[in-house]
Amino acid sequence: MLSKKMQDLLNDQINFEFYSAYIYLSMAAYLQANDLLGCAHWMRVQTQEELMHAMKMYDFVNDRSGRVVLKEIKGPKAEWASPLEAFEDALKHEQTVTGRINHMMDIAIEEKDHATQIFLQWFISEQVEEEASVGAVIQRLKLAGQSPGGMFMVDKELAQRIFTPPPQTSQAPLAPPQKA
Ligand code: FEO
């Protein structure tokens, strides 16, 4: 059973993951409006990642007999000065997420909530990957600089990103079987 404090933290984080999805979808719209379809695609995949994070937490709260309470999602920023600025904002946002996850882990340790600690370990590793992948894009954008050819190459590369959903581990109800 989750403590009230941990349940509140998880519910807040579910909201923050949806907010993250909203931020990245807004970045995708900005990038698409600037004809960077590969960059926009990368951000759309990132949006899917965030929705998956939110739902993973949603399932965990339910699996622990907790109560999911959804809250209002804050509106994201809509404009950036450059694609580089958008990706730099994404990195800052991921660093905030990492801080929040680490704080949740501190509380889970304090409460001797072993199941939540194991659950959050996945997110701690995921955050290392999240920060590294945005950081790698920032490096490429910096190398491309103002060169249209360089930007074209980066955009083409980011178009290759694929969303791979993790295996389902929750007891959450699955979609009903399809009729033959
Ligand atoms: Fe769900 Fe990108 O942190």
Side-chain angles (χ1 to χ4, degrees):
M1 184 81 187
L2 289 168
S3 72
K4 165 85 170 66
K5 188 174 181 179
M6 186 51 74
Q7 178 174 292
D8 289 348
L9 283 169
L10 285 159
N11 274 322
D12 282 349
Q13 192 58 29
I14 289 170
N15 181 270
F16 207 76
E17 298 291 343
F18 281 122
Y19 173 52
S20 306
Y22 226 30
I23 290 174
Y24 296 136
L25 194 57
S26 185
M27 287 179 178
Y30 158 77
L31 293 161
Q32 181 153 356
N34 284 277
D35 299 321
L36 292 166
L37 300 187
C39 293
H41 168 80
W42 193 98
M43 281 296 177
R44 285 179 71 136
V45 171
Q46 191 60 30
T47 300
Q48 287 178 286
E49 290 267 340
E50 300 306 339
L51 294 174
M52 176 268 286
H53 295 167
M55 290 312 295
K56 207 172 167 67
M57 288 193 181
Y58 175 103
D59 285 341
F60 179 71
V61 173
N62 284 322
D63 285 349
R64 300 282 312 279
S65 306
R67 178 72 169 90
V68 170
V69 179
L70 299 178
K71 296 170 192 165
E72 190 178 358
I73 301 165
K74 215 165 42 162
K77 190 171 157 179
E79 293 295 337
W80 287 266
S82 63
L84 177 61
E85 192 190 82
F87 279 90
E88 281 174 339
D89 264 13
L91 179 58
K92 275 186 226 146
H93 184 76
E94 286 306 321
Q95 288 163 344
T96 302
V97 174
T98 301
R100 292 174 67 102
I101 301 284
N102 288 344
H103 173 67
M104 289 165 75
M105 180 60 111
D106 290 343
I107 303 298
I109 291 168
E110 205 176 286
E111 293 187 349
K112 297 187 169 58
D113 179 349
H114 299 249
T116 302
Q117 288 174 42
I118 290 168
F119 174 72
L120 288 174
Q121 264 166 19
W122 183 90
F123 280 90
I124 287 170
S125 307
E126 178 76 354
Q127 279 312 116
V128 172
E129 204 184 300
E130 293 270 282
E131 288 189 29
S133 65
V134 187
V137 176
I138 291 172
Q139 288 314 316
R140 279 170 177 73
L141 288 172
K142 282 184 176 165
L143 281 173
Q146 297 303 314
S147 134
M151 197 61 214
F152 176 79
M153 293 304 291
V154 173
D155 196 55
K156 215 173 142 184
E157 190 189 336
L158 297 197
Q160 307 304 315
R161 188 177 184 193
I162 293 168
F163 173 66
T164 315
Q168 172 92 15
T169 51
S170 157
Q171 298 309 306
L174 298 171
Q178 301 288 312
K179 280 192 189 130

